[in-house]
Amino acid sequence: MGDDAAFERLCRELEAWEGASELTMTDVLNLPESLRHLVNWVLRAGHVSVRELATHLGQDEAVTASLLGDLSRKGLVAGLDVAGETRYHVRTRDRRSRGVSSNVWRALE
Amino acid sequence: MPTIVSVHSFRGGTGKSNVTANLATLLAAGGRRVGVIDTDIQSPGIHVLFGLDESRMTHSLNDYLWGKCGIEQTAHDVTPRPEVATGRVMLIPSSIKAGEIARVLREGYDVGLLNDGFHTLIEALRLDVLMIDTHPGLNEETLLSIAVSHVLVVILRPDQQDYQGTGVTVEVARKLDVPRLMLLVNKVPAVFDVAEVRSRVEKAYGADVAAVMPHSDEMMTLGSAGLFVLRYPDHPVTATLKQVAAKLVA
């Protein structure tokens, strides 16, 4: 699949995906294929710039910046300042409370 | 470029922490700066292999996850024989205090901080390799470890439960686009044909089998009281682990 066809597929998947207020790794696992590949790539890179992502996708920076905006609105990436440059990373969250009796916690503390 | 290696198994008792600690030791002996992070917060233990006593743990991964310190402050230099070592082993332990484990279980933590921490560690400690010792099974933390790793080592025993669980893990690893996946079959009884085990596992999962390690009475007797590769430098198991270490950084 060429870069443009692959990119179009990615955009379609992103549009159809409902988004996540707090992305978990389980969410990542269940993403549509193209979107999942992209998120995996960003996760493994740590954080990426618009330029780096544009190179990866074979698209120009303006189109890529727009995509990053959409990814951010859907909760897949977040911007962060790294030495004065805006870079993007995947922000996963999992802060769960296990339902165990408070007596057990008190005994352990 | 630094390499992130996750050492994982679907079930407990496969020898994950032992393998991780010994591989890290071998890599450091080869001149590399190696970080080892114990993300098995519910049942930490790799610090025992490195002889890091609880009383000497100034900070732990738990402290970082609770915002008490930077992750680099949790690193303890546990390099074996530092006077002759050319590399380094820096251990980021998890707390063994019941209260702190309880707190994590009760309140959870931001898994995203772990990912940030991995990359900060690599930079701050100038690591060549970061080895992640994971909790067994699939959960948010292990999924994250797999997702950020360049190499995933999946350890299994020649056991039907392990075989089935490894299938699940391999499927997940492929969905998370792990660049390199290696299987390590551990604790293999002497009566088993090593070549046959290797062939069977390779065929079953379509993945590289880095090693088939025989059960070792010496390893069982040592019982995590130290690093096997240092105690038994000429043992066949040590030779096998050296081959695996070489594959990790190839």
Side-chain angles (χ1 to χ4, degrees):
Chain A
M1 195 184 287
D3 282 348
D4 287 343
F7 186 72
E8 279 169 21
R9 179 180 167 179
L10 174 68
C11 292
R12 278 198 306 272
E13 287 181 3
L14 180 59
E15 194 178 334
W17 188 63
E18 59 185 27
S21 55
E22 286 199 336
L23 186 72
T24 67
M25 284 306 302
T26 313
D27 291 331
V28 173
L29 211 52
N30 291 314
L31 286 172
E33 189 179 346
S34 295
L35 208 44
R36 190 178 71 245
H37 287 321
L38 178 64
V39 170
N40 288 340
W41 182 78
V42 179
L43 261 172
R44 205 158 269 117
H47 46 73
V48 299
S49 66
V50 174
R51 179 175 300 171
E52 286 162 353
L53 182 56
T55 304
H56 177 70
L57 294 172
Q59 303 294 316
D60 67 49
E61 287 187 33
V63 167
T64 305
S66 174
L67 174 70
L68 280 165
D70 293 337
L71 289 166
S72 183
R73 274 186 289 281
K74 290 263 181 139
L76 284 168
V77 301
L80 72 161
D81 181 67
V82 178
E85 181 191 12
T86 300
R87 295 180 71 83
Y88 296 86
H89 66 155
V90 176
R91 200 81 180 94
T92 58
R93 294 191 182 277
D94 180 55
R95 202 164 191 125
R96 296 158 286 159
S97 177
R98 275 84 161 177
V100 177
S101 159
S102 56
N103 289 336
V104 175
W105 301 130
R106 270 197 294 275
L108 287 170
E109 280 168 350
Chain B
M1 183 178 160
T3 302
I4 300 178
V5 179
S6 270
V7 182
H8 184 67
S9 58
F10 191 78
R11 289 168 50 77
T14 60
K16 233 180 343 69
S17 296
N18 244 299
V19 167
T20 303
N22 280 285
L23 286 176
T25 300
L26 288 170
L27 289 169
R32 288 179 175 82
R33 295 179 63 85
V34 185
V36 178
I37 180 165
D38 188 353
T39 61
D40 194 350
I41 296 175
Q42 297 172 54
S43 47
I46 198 169
H47 59 279
V48 175
L49 286 147
F50 287 110
L52 179 64
D53 188 73
E54 184 187 342
S55 63
R56 290 198 292 125
M57 272 189 215
T58 48
H59 289 100
S60 70
L61 181 62
N62 306 56
D63 293 320
Y64 163 70
L65 291 173
W66 286 105
K68 291 183 184 175
C69 65
I71 194 164
E72 61 272 29
Q73 292 172 272
T74 69
H76 296 74
D77 191 336
V78 295
T79 308
R81 302 175 190 164
E83 67 280 7
V84 299
T86 53
R88 276 288 175 272
V89 181
M90 307 296 289
L91 174 66
I92 293 83
S94 279
S95 174
I96 193 67
K97 294 176 182 163
E100 294 187 1
I101 297 174
R103 183 180 175 190
V104 168
L105 293 176
R106 184 177 65 235
E107 298 177 26
Y109 61 90
D110 183 352
V111 172
L113 272 180
L114 256 188
N115 190 19
D116 294 342
F118 296 151
H119 293 279
T120 301
L121 269 176
I122 287 171
E123 242 177 81
L125 302 179
R126 294 178 292 115
L127 299 177
D128 299 305
V129 183
L130 175 64
M131 299 197 69
I132 305 173
D133 188 22
T134 67
H135 185 66
L138 296 178
N139 54 43
E140 285 292 308
E141 295 92 331
T142 58
L143 288 176
L144 177 69
S145 298
I146 293 170
V148 303
S149 293
H150 304 107
V151 184
L152 173 63
V153 179
V154 179
I155 302 183
L156 65 153
R157 293 159 296 195
D159 168 275
Q160 295 306 314
Q161 293 180 79
D162 283 22
Y163 283 140
Q164 190 170 74
T166 296
V168 174
T169 306
V170 169
E171 186 186 335
V172 164
R174 289 191 169 131
K175 279 189 111 173
L176 293 175
D177 299 325
V178 174
R180 290 174 64 203
L181 170 63
M182 296 179 189
L183 304 176
L184 193 157
V185 189
N186 201 16
K187 304 186 181 182
V188 178
V191 296
F192 282 30
D193 183 283
V194 167
E196 195 186 323
V197 170
R198 175 184 290 275
S199 172
R200 179 184 175 187
V201 171
E202 272 175 352
K203 212 172 173 180
Y205 304 111
D208 174 39
V209 175
V212 177
M213 304 233 298
H215 165 85
S216 161
D217 278 346
E218 291 91 341
M219 180 79 83
M220 292 297 290
T221 307
L222 182 58
S224 301
L227 294 159
F228 186 89
V229 296
L230 297 183
R231 197 72 69 92
Y232 299 97
D234 299 320
H235 197 283
V237 167
T238 296
T240 303
L241 285 168
K242 284 181 179 174
Q243 289 172 3
V244 177
K247 282 189 179 185
L248 288 182
V249 294

